[in-house]
PDB file of all heavy atoms in Angstrom:
ATOM      1  N   LEU A  22      14.258   7.726   1.257  1.00  0.00           N
ATOM      2  CA  LEU A  22      14.814   6.694   2.142  1.00  0.00           C
ATOM      3  C   LEU A  22      16.332   6.827   2.255  1.00  0.00           C
ATOM      4  O   LEU A  22      16.896   6.710   3.346  1.00  0.00           O
ATOM      5  CB  LEU A  22      14.462   5.298   1.606  1.00  0.00           C
ATOM      6  CG  LEU A  22      13.027   4.829   1.851  1.00  0.00           C
ATOM      7  CD1 LEU A  22      12.671   3.664   0.947  1.00  0.00           C
ATOM      8  CD2 LEU A  22      12.808   4.460   3.312  1.00  0.00           C
ATOM      9  N   ALA A  23      16.968   7.100   1.117  1.00  0.00           N
ATOM     10  CA  ALA A  23      18.438   7.181   1.130  1.00  0.00           C
ATOM     11  C   ALA A  23      18.924   8.403   1.907  1.00  0.00           C
ATOM     12  O   ALA A  23      19.981   8.350   2.537  1.00  0.00           O
ATOM     13  CB  ALA A  23      18.953   7.222  -0.305  1.00  0.00           C
ATOM     14  N   ASN A  24      18.141   9.500   1.865  1.00  0.00           N
ATOM     15  CA  ASN A  24      18.612  10.745   2.489  1.00  0.00           C
ATOM     16  C   ASN A  24      18.112  10.946   3.902  1.00  0.00           C
ATOM     17  O   ASN A  24      18.520  11.896   4.573  1.00  0.00           O
ATOM     18  CB  ASN A  24      18.175  11.960   1.644  1.00  0.00           C
ATOM     19  CG  ASN A  24      18.819  11.906   0.279  1.00  0.00           C
ATOM     20  OD1 ASN A  24      19.947  11.422   0.148  1.00  0.00           O
ATOM     21  ND2 ASN A  24      18.112  12.357  -0.746  1.00  0.00           N
ATOM     22  N   SER A  25      17.195  10.074   4.351  1.00  0.00           N
ATOM     23  CA  SER A  25      16.571  10.297   5.661  1.00  0.00           C
ATOM     24  C   SER A  25      17.523   9.905   6.799  1.00  0.00           C
ATOM     25  O   SER A  25      18.120   8.829   6.770  1.00  0.00           O
ATOM     26  CB  SER A  25      15.281   9.487   5.727  1.00  0.00           C
ATOM     27  OG  SER A  25      14.668   9.713   6.940  1.00  0.00           O
ATOM     28  N   GLN A  26      17.645  10.793   7.760  1.00  0.00           N
ATOM     29  CA  GLN A  26      18.535  10.528   8.897  1.00  0.00           C
ATOM     30  C   GLN A  26      17.826   9.728   9.988  1.00  0.00           C
ATOM     31  O   GLN A  26      18.456   9.087  10.807  1.00  0.00           O
ATOM     32  CB  GLN A  26      19.019  11.850   9.531  1.00  0.00           C
ATOM     33  CG  GLN A  26      19.664  12.811   8.546  1.00  0.00           C
ATOM     34  CD  GLN A  26      20.963  12.270   7.979  1.00  0.00           C
ATOM     35  OE1 GLN A  26      21.754  11.696   8.701  1.00  0.00           O
ATOM     36  NE2 GLN A  26      21.148  12.409   6.677  1.00  0.00           N
ATOM     37  N   LYS A  27      16.476   9.879  10.027  1.00  0.00           N
ATOM     38  CA  LYS A  27      15.744   9.130  11.066  1.00  0.00           C
ATOM     39  C   LYS A  27      14.418   8.622  10.506  1.00  0.00           C
ATOM     40  O   LYS A  27      13.976   9.082   9.451  1.00  0.00           O
ATOM     41  CB  LYS A  27      15.524   9.994  12.299  1.00  0.00           C
ATOM     42  CG  LYS A  27      14.736  11.260  12.087  1.00  0.00           C
ATOM     43  CD  LYS A  27      14.747  12.049  13.385  1.00  0.00           C
ATOM     44  CE  LYS A  27      13.969  13.324  13.328  1.00  0.00           C
ATOM     45  NZ  LYS A  27      12.584  13.329  13.509  1.00  0.00           N
ATOM     46  N   ALA A  28      13.816   7.707  11.238  1.00  0.00           N
ATOM     47  CA  ALA A  28      12.568   7.094  10.761  1.00  0.00           C
ATOM     48  C   ALA A  28      11.493   8.166  10.585  1.00  0.00           C
ATOM     49  O   ALA A  28      11.395   9.088  11.382  1.00  0.00           O
ATOM     50  CB  ALA A  28      12.097   6.057  11.763  1.00  0.00           C
ATOM     51  N   TYR A  29      10.714   8.017   9.535  1.00  0.00           N
ATOM     52  CA  TYR A  29       9.606   8.958   9.292  1.00  0.00           C
ATOM     53  C   TYR A  29       8.313   8.163   9.102  1.00  0.00           C
ATOM     54  O   TYR A  29       8.353   6.976   8.756  1.00  0.00           O
ATOM     55  CB  TYR A  29       9.916   9.830   8.066  1.00  0.00           C
ATOM     56  CG  TYR A  29      10.016   9.055   6.778  1.00  0.00           C
ATOM     57  CD1 TYR A  29       8.889   8.734   6.021  1.00  0.00           C
ATOM     58  CD2 TYR A  29      11.250   8.605   6.316  1.00  0.00           C
ATOM     59  CE1 TYR A  29       8.994   8.006   4.851  1.00  0.00           C
ATOM     60  CE2 TYR A  29      11.357   7.866   5.140  1.00  0.00           C
ATOM     61  CZ  TYR A  29      10.218   7.573   4.416  1.00  0.00           C
ATOM     62  OH  TYR A  29      10.315   6.836   3.262  1.00  0.00           O
ATOM     63  N   PRO A  30       7.160   8.810   9.334  1.00  0.00           N
ATOM     64  CA  PRO A  30       5.896   8.091   9.132  1.00  0.00           C
ATOM     65  C   PRO A  30       5.448   8.147   7.680  1.00  0.00           C
ATOM     66  O   PRO A  30       5.610   9.163   7.012  1.00  0.00           O
ATOM     67  CB  PRO A  30       4.914   8.880  10.012  1.00  0.00           C
ATOM     68  CG  PRO A  30       5.474  10.261  10.078  1.00  0.00           C
ATOM     69  CD  PRO A  30       6.971  10.145   9.920  1.00  0.00           C
ATOM     70  N   SER A  31       4.937   7.034   7.194  1.00  0.00           N
ATOM     71  CA  SER A  31       4.376   6.954   5.845  1.00  0.00           C
ATOM     72  C   SER A  31       2.879   6.681   6.036  1.00  0.00           C
ATOM     73  O   SER A  31       2.500   5.795   6.794  1.00  0.00           O
ATOM     74  CB  SER A  31       5.113   5.824   5.127  1.00  0.00           C
ATOM     75  OG  SER A  31       4.323   5.187   4.172  1.00  0.00           O
ATOM     76  N   ILE A  32       2.054   7.471   5.377  1.00  0.00           N
ATOM     77  CA  ILE A  32       0.602   7.395   5.603  1.00  0.00           C
ATOM     78  C   ILE A  32      -0.088   6.794   4.389  1.00  0.00           C
ATOM     79  O   ILE A  32       0.162   7.219   3.260  1.00  0.00           O
ATOM     80  CB  ILE A  32       0.024   8.828   5.810  1.00  0.00           C
ATOM     81  CG1 ILE A  32       0.735   9.551   6.963  1.00  0.00           C
ATOM     82  CG2 ILE A  32      -1.484   8.826   6.013  1.00  0.00           C
ATOM     83  CD1 ILE A  32       0.485   8.947   8.305  1.00  0.00           C
ATOM     84  N   GLU A  33      -0.965   5.817   4.622  1.00  0.00           N
ATOM     85  CA  GLU A  33      -1.726   5.230   3.504  1.00  0.00           C
ATOM     86  C   GLU A  33      -3.208   5.526   3.695  1.00  0.00           C
ATOM     87  O   GLU A  33      -3.761   5.229   4.752  1.00  0.00           O
ATOM     88  CB  GLU A  33      -1.496   3.713   3.468  1.00  0.00           C
ATOM     89  CG  GLU A  33      -2.367   3.023   2.431  1.00  0.00           C
ATOM     90  CD  GLU A  33      -2.170   1.520   2.400  1.00  0.00           C
ATOM     91  OE1 GLU A  33      -1.029   1.054   2.224  1.00  0.00           O
ATOM     92  OE2 GLU A  33      -3.177   0.801   2.561  1.00  0.00           O
ATOM     93  N   ILE A  34      -3.824   6.104   2.676  1.00  0.00           N
ATOM     94  CA  ILE A  34      -5.268   6.343   2.768  1.00  0.00           C
ATOM     95  C   ILE A  34      -6.007   5.524   1.701  1.00  0.00           C
ATOM     96  O   ILE A  34      -5.421   5.118   0.694  1.00  0.00           O
ATOM     97  CB  ILE A  34      -5.625   7.840   2.615  1.00  0.00           C
ATOM     98  CG1 ILE A  34      -5.250   8.345   1.210  1.00  0.00           C
ATOM     99  CG2 ILE A  34      -4.961   8.699   3.685  1.00  0.00           C
ATOM    100  CD1 ILE A  34      -6.031   9.570   0.799  1.00  0.00           C
ATOM    101  N   VAL A  35      -7.296   5.324   1.961  1.00  0.00           N
ATOM    102  CA  VAL A  35      -8.150   4.588   1.023  1.00  0.00           C
ATOM    103  C   VAL A  35      -9.027   5.621   0.310  1.00  0.00           C
ATOM    104  O   VAL A  35      -9.625   6.465   0.979  1.00  0.00           O
ATOM    105  CB  VAL A  35      -9.034   3.581   1.799  1.00  0.00           C
ATOM    106  CG1 VAL A  35      -9.970   2.837   0.853  1.00  0.00           C
ATOM    107  CG2 VAL A  35      -8.160   2.594   2.572  1.00  0.00           C
ATOM    108  N   PRO A  36      -9.103   5.603  -1.033  1.00  0.00           N
ATOM    109  CA  PRO A  36      -9.953   6.579  -1.731  1.00  0.00           C
ATOM    110  C   PRO A  36     -11.399   6.471  -1.250  1.00  0.00           C
ATOM    111  O   PRO A  36     -11.871   5.371  -0.928  1.00  0.00           O
ATOM    112  CB  PRO A  36      -9.848   6.182  -3.195  1.00  0.00           C
ATOM    113  CG  PRO A  36      -8.654   5.336  -3.293  1.00  0.00           C
ATOM    114  CD  PRO A  36      -8.484   4.667  -1.964  1.00  0.00           C
ATOM    115  N   PRO A  37     -12.117   7.577  -1.235  1.00  0.00           N
ATOM    116  CA  PRO A  37     -13.502   7.516  -0.755  1.00  0.00           C
ATOM    117  C   PRO A  37     -14.432   6.862  -1.768  1.00  0.00           C
ATOM    118  O   PRO A  37     -14.137   6.845  -2.967  1.00  0.00           O
ATOM    119  CB  PRO A  37     -13.862   8.998  -0.592  1.00  0.00           C
ATOM    120  CG  PRO A  37     -12.995   9.710  -1.573  1.00  0.00           C
ATOM    121  CD  PRO A  37     -11.718   8.918  -1.663  1.00  0.00           C
ATOM    122  N   LEU A  38     -15.546   6.346  -1.256  1.00  0.00           N
ATOM    123  CA  LEU A  38     -16.593   5.851  -2.152  1.00  0.00           C
ATOM    124  C   LEU A  38     -17.190   7.063  -2.854  1.00  0.00           C
ATOM    125  O   LEU A  38     -17.117   8.187  -2.330  1.00  0.00           O
ATOM    126  CB  LEU A  38     -17.680   5.139  -1.335  1.00  0.00           C
ATOM    127  CG  LEU A  38     -17.251   3.808  -0.732  1.00  0.00           C
ATOM    128  CD1 LEU A  38     -18.267   3.335   0.297  1.00  0.00           C
ATOM    129  CD2 LEU A  38     -17.078   2.744  -1.817  1.00  0.00           C
ATOM    130  N   ARG A  39     -17.750   6.848  -4.032  1.00  0.00           N
ATOM    131  CA  ARG A  39     -18.351   7.980  -4.735  1.00  0.00           C
ATOM    132  C   ARG A  39     -19.439   8.605  -3.878  1.00  0.00           C
ATOM    133  O   ARG A  39     -20.146   7.901  -3.160  1.00  0.00           O
ATOM    134  CB  ARG A  39     -18.943   7.517  -6.065  1.00  0.00           C
ATOM    135  CG  ARG A  39     -17.878   7.486  -7.118  1.00  0.00           C
ATOM    136  CD  ARG A  39     -18.336   6.890  -8.417  1.00  0.00           C
ATOM    137  NE  ARG A  39     -17.161   6.276  -9.030  1.00  0.00           N
ATOM    138  CZ  ARG A  39     -16.275   6.946  -9.760  1.00  0.00           C
ATOM    139  NH1 ARG A  39     -16.440   8.218  -9.997  1.00  0.00           N
ATOM    140  NH2 ARG A  39     -15.234   6.336 -10.259  1.00  0.00           N
ATOM    141  N   GLY A  40     -19.555   9.933  -3.954  1.00  0.00           N
ATOM    142  CA  GLY A  40     -20.546  10.625  -3.119  1.00  0.00           C
ATOM    143  C   GLY A  40     -19.850  11.564  -2.160  1.00  0.00           C
ATOM    144  O   GLY A  40     -20.409  12.568  -1.731  1.00  0.00           O
ATOM    145  N   ILE A  41     -18.602  11.257  -1.826  1.00  0.00           N
ATOM    146  CA  ILE A  41     -17.808  12.136  -0.966  1.00  0.00           C
ATOM    147  C   ILE A  41     -17.242  13.250  -1.853  1.00  0.00           C
ATOM    148  O   ILE A  41     -16.779  12.978  -2.960  1.00  0.00           O
ATOM    149  CB  ILE A  41     -16.645  11.340  -0.315  1.00  0.00           C
ATOM    150  CG1 ILE A  41     -17.167  10.206   0.549  1.00  0.00           C
ATOM    151  CG2 ILE A  41     -15.687  12.240   0.448  1.00  0.00           C
ATOM    152  CD1 ILE A  41     -17.729  10.613   1.881  1.00  0.00           C
TER     153      ILE A  41
END
Side-chain angles (χ1 to χ4, degrees):
L22 283 163
N24 297 327
S25 181
Q26 306 294 319
K27 60 186 181 82
Y29 64 85
S31 150
I32 304 293
E33 174 181 304
I34 64 157
V35 178
L38 290 167
R39 276 173 210 276
I41 299 284

